Structures are given as structure tokens and as C-alpha cells.
Amino acid sequence: MLAHISTEYYTRLEQGRAPRPSSEVLAGIATALRLTAPESAHLHDLAGAVRRTTTAHDRTVRPSVVTLIDRLQGTVGIVLSAAYEILAWNDLAVALVGDLQAMSPPNRSLARHAFLPEVTHRTRTDVTDLAELRHHVVAQLRTATARYPEDPAIRALVAELNERSTDFATLWRGHDVRPEPVLTKTFRHDEVGEITVDCDTLLLPDRDQHLVLFTAEPGSRDARNLELLHMITAGALVAR
């Protein structure tokens, strides 16, 4: 009764004789059994069903994570939301990308940067693999819409991109949700030229966020360019 399904159907589920349950049925069972969030997620995984939630994606970053990226030397550190918005960053990220603090939250969206650069305004750095970035962004947004189907921010972002970008609309119709991992990335900066970095992404599962770290091999030209960028940015801030 609590799960809003019949006793007969629940019995067949436990015996493995029923069709694969829907996300709504699994959510009802999880509620009836008072499962915790990780337990509910495990139930959905076992059933091969997409976990659904009516809540908005989390955009608050743990202070300990902000402290962590601030302490990283020679590493660009950013935190991305489930909808690919940059939520937190360190000084080297500012040196590479630009003054993120001066941007409005919507313009910190990597999805909007990838498909609507005329709206967000160009930063001091371009990526050389724009096609790969776009493919990755669309796949991540497809996953986010499945996890947060009622999130107004995600729905508005997808609607805007579909309306204003034919490239996004084409990729969106592909329904791809399994992007290849990005292991390296090359940025083209106005002042120091190209910088190739290793790209490592760490999942922050409690808030469905990602910590993205860009590093260059110590002593390499790319590492020196990163350090030069940091010095240029620091000098500009002092001059202000």
C-alpha cells in the first residue's frame, strides 16, 4: 500500500517473475522501505532503471573542496555542477579562462560557452577540440535531464540551446549518454599561445558534482606557460 503497488505485483517482483519495474515503481518501493539515498540508488542500479528525482541539482560546493583547490600549486582546479556550470575555481583557473567572478552564473556555463559564445562573450582562452567538448557537454546534459527531469534550470538551458544552436539540436537528437573520457586538453591563450594539459575528473557523489583538474608535466613548456599566466594575472590584480 505504501509503495502504491499491489501485493501480487510486489510478490512477483521479489520472485523475479515480473517485468522490469519502472523508475516510479522503484521510487515507491524505496519510500515504503525507508531506504537511504545510497540504498535507493543501489536499488535502481540493480533494476537497471534511471534514478529520478524531482529536486533541483545541487549548486553548493563544500567549503573543504574550495579549500582543496585553493591549495593546489600549479594545478587548474574547477568544480562543475551536474549541468556543467562552473561553481568554484582557483586562481590558476582565472589565469587560464578569465575573471569568472565577474561573469554572471548563467555565463559560467560550459554548455553555453561551447554552443553560444556570442551570448557569453569570448574568454581569453579557446579550446582546440571544440567538437569533442560539445559532444561531451551534450552527453552530460542528457544524463542530467534524466536525473533531474523537473529541474527548471536544466530544462531552460536545454530549451535555450535547442532553440539557438543547430549544432546542439543535432547532437541532442543523437541521445548519446556515454562520452569518451577527456584525458588531455589543449587551450589556445591570447598571451602565451597553446597549453596542453592532462585532464583528470573526480566525482563528488554526495552533490553530483565533478572536480576537474588540469595539470602539466613539471618542467615542461606547458607548465612554464601556466606559471607565466599565473604571474601575468597576479600582476594585473596588483596593478588594479
Side-chain angles (χ1 to χ4, degrees), residues 116-225:
L116 303 175
E118 71 281 3
V119 174
T120 59
H121 304 297
R122 183 177 177 275
T123 63
R124 292 179 298 181
T125 308
D126 292 325
V127 293
T128 60
D129 57 344
L130 181 59
E132 182 182 20
L133 173 63
R134 286 178 165 182
H135 180 267
H136 198 85
V137 164
V138 170
Q140 291 293 339
L141 280 181
R142 176 65 70 178
T143 299
T145 57
R147 289 179 181 167
Y148 309 96
E150 304 302 323
D151 188 318
I154 294 178
R155 294 175 67 175
L157 175 61
V158 171
E160 178 189 20
L161 294 175
N162 261 312
E163 179 182 353
R164 305 186 69 168
S165 172
T166 56
D167 291 332
F168 179 88
T170 299
L171 290 171
W172 188 254
R173 288 194 295 269
H175 290 266
D176 191 354
V177 294
R178 296 178 63 86
E180 292 296 323
V182 178
L183 302 180
T184 62
K185 184 171 288 293
T186 299
F187 296 91
R188 186 182 297 109
H189 195 276
D190 288 347
E191 298 181 72
V192 300
E194 289 193 352
I195 304 175
T196 299
V197 293
D198 294 321
C199 180
D200 293 287
T201 302
L202 307 177
L203 176 64
L204 305 175
D206 62 317
R207 306 196 181 192
D208 197 12
Q209 297 168 357
H210 288 86
L211 171 59
V212 183
L213 304 174
F214 296 141
T215 57
E217 182 180 353
S220 66
R221 177 187 63 84
D222 299 304
R224 291 193 295 272
N225 281 345

